[in-house]
């Protein structure tokens, strides 16, 4: 049977924090590169911006033309998808 000492736990904590810091640093670089992909707008803002009805927005969502997320009953749409949709059409 091996016993853990306080120094063992301190060493483990340091290794764990170093590893987590490394992971977060790598992920933050990815987020910075894809900053526009993190722009999400609510339904009301999209409808006002594009002057479309709720049904039109729903059809875009159901048709898979734009990405969306439903959070606590509200839909959020990806701004980049909307820009691409209207550039191609």
């Amino acid at each position: 049977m091996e016993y853990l000492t306080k120094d063992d736990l301190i060493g483990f904590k340091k290794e764990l924090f170093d590893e987590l810091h490394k992971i977060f640093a790598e992920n933050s670089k990815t987020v910075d590169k894809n900053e526009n992909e993190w722009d999400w707008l609510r339904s009301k803002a999209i409808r006002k911006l594009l002057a479309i009805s709720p049904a039109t927005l729903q059809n875009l969502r159901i048709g898979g033309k734009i990405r969306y997320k439903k959070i606590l009953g509200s839909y959020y749409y990806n701004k980049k998808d909307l820009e691409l949709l209207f550039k191609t059409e």
Side-chain angles (χ1 to χ4, degrees):
M1 178 181 234
E2 292 185 38
Y3 293 100
L4 289 175
T5 66
K6 189 174 182 179
D7 290 336
D8 293 333
L9 292 175
I10 290 171
F12 174 72
K13 181 175 92 171
K14 182 177 177 357
E15 288 177 32
L16 181 62
F17 279 124
D18 289 345
E19 190 67 28
L20 287 173
H21 180 70
K22 183 175 139 185
I23 290 169
F24 285 128
E26 289 171 2
N27 286 338
S28 69
K29 289 177 189 174
T30 304
V31 169
D32 291 341
K33 289 179 187 174
N34 301 321
E35 187 175 340
N36 290 339
E37 292 185 23
W38 293 94
D39 291 336
W40 293 84
L41 301 171
R42 290 186 68 174
S43 299
K44 188 175 182 178
I46 295 293
R47 290 194 325 261
K48 186 175 180 180
L49 182 69
L50 301 176
I52 60 175
S53 70
T56 301
L57 186 56
Q58 181 180 11
N59 287 334
L60 290 172
R61 182 178 70 235
I62 292 171
K65 300 239 182 206
I66 55 175
R67 285 184 287 174
Y68 69 94
K69 292 183 181 194
K70 186 175 182 181
I71 302 172
L72 298 175
S74 295
Y75 287 98
Y76 293 85
Y77 299 88
N78 188 276
K79 185 177 177 181
K80 187 174 182 179
D81 286 351
L82 289 166
E83 292 170 357
L84 291 174
L85 175 68
F86 288 101
K87 281 183 184 176
T88 59
E89 292 186 5

